[in-house]
Amino acid sequence: KLLDSWNMSVVGDIRSSITAYNGKYYFTNKGGYFFEASVADDGKIENVKMLKLYNYTSDNSTPPMSTCTPTIYNGRAYVGVSGTSQFGAYTGHNITVIDIPNWEIAYTVRTQGYPQTSGVLTTAYEDETGCVYVYFFDNYTPGKLRVLKDKPGQTSASLVSVEAYTDKGITKTYETAYALFTPDGDQAQYAICSPIIDQYGTIYFKNDSAYLMAVGSTVDTL
């Protein structure tokens, strides 16, 4: 049975799943917001908070949409955000890092396409470096696999790529989240898939090319 409902004060479809973290619930919407909510023991929805996302513009006609289910660890939420044109390259698409205790955006870092699905986070190097790594895909051909290296208190991306793009004869360069792997040839396509990692660190994914791919470690010496 329906225990409770909540009417949003802003417009925008909710296309993400809900992430539970420290007794609260987090999600995004296509109106350009990140949400936090609590649910009481009797099922009542309480203490709903909203945080406006960002896509390098303040134009309300092109909001920073998100369909991304938040990946959350150590008080930091990681979400993909759309630019001003959902299927336009480098139009403000980004990965946003949110500082939940301070309820603010820690930083954003651009991507070529809109990261529409959830990222996957590994703590494999946290004891050694104090950092976690979070992997996302661009939903834009060629469908780049990107990685963030992040820790609490960080206010800018520490791993970046510089990418050039030519539109209508004008070439611009962008500092983006680090491109770890770029499909090419028949494998280059839109990617609306969350990365999957096995116990050896191999990342598996598929994209609209209908190929299943695996990105693994590279052996330098034997």
Side-chain angles (χ1 to χ4, degrees):
K1 63 181 181 179
L2 177 65
L3 298 179
D4 197 19
S5 63
W6 171 68
N7 290 326
M8 298 172 64
S9 60
V10 294
V11 298
D13 300 352
I14 299 172
R15 293 273 301 276
S16 77
S17 295
I18 295 171
T19 303
Y21 176 76
N22 279 357
K24 296 182 179 180
Y25 302 91
Y26 299 87
F27 54 97
T28 61
N29 85 338
K30 291 184 69 176
Y33 288 89
F34 174 79
F35 296 85
E36 176 189 275
S38 300
V39 179
D41 290 343
D42 63 358
K44 297 295 182 183
I45 300 169
E46 301 175 332
N47 304 319
V48 177
K49 294 168 62 177
M50 301 183 300
L51 179 66
K52 182 72 172 178
L53 297 171
Y54 178 63
N55 63 358
Y56 303 90
T57 184
S58 56
D59 187 346
N60 290 330
S61 67
T62 54
M65 301 184 297
S66 185
T67 61
C68 182
T69 302
T71 298
I72 303 177
Y73 179 76
N74 214 8
R76 312 273 279 186
Y78 306 90
V79 297
V81 176
S82 75
T84 57
S85 172
Q86 181 173 353
F87 298 112
Y90 302 103
T91 59
H93 310 298
N94 69 86
I95 300 168
T96 294
V97 182
I98 296 167
D99 181 333
I100 292 177
N102 291 317
W103 200 243
E104 64 183 9
I105 294 175
Y107 62 91
T108 63
V109 58
R110 286 180 181 267
T111 55
Q112 180 182 11
Y114 174 14
Q116 284 197 250
T117 54
S118 57
V120 63
L121 181 149
T122 178
T123 60
Y125 307 98
E126 188 178 20
D127 289 344
E128 178 184 350
T129 67
C131 298
V132 297
Y133 290 78
V134 194
Y135 302 86
F136 282 89
F137 281 107
D138 289 9
N139 187 31
Y140 189 91
T141 301
K144 295 176 181 178
L145 172 63
R146 300 187 184 273
V147 60
L148 289 182
K149 179 182 180 182
D150 185 65
K151 62 182 178 182
Q154 189 170 319
T155 57
S156 62
S158 59
L159 292 177
V160 296
S161 296
V162 176
E163 300 177 5
Y165 183 72
T166 301
D167 182 35
K168 298 177 181 177
I170 300 174
T171 300
K172 295 182 179 180
T173 58
Y174 301 89
E175 190 171 85
T176 67
Y178 185 75
L180 183 67
F181 174 74
T182 302
D184 62 8
D186 291 342
Q187 287 79 45
Q189 255 296 348
Y190 284 75
I192 191 162
C193 171
S194 295
I196 305 296
I197 302 179
D198 69 12
Q199 68 268 37
Y200 306 110
T202 301
I203 300 175
Y204 298 88
F205 66 98
K206 55 85 179 174
N207 63 19
D208 287 1
S209 71
Y211 281 88
L212 175 66
M213 289 168 266
V215 177
S217 300
T218 300
V219 177
D220 293 324
T221 58
L222 187 64

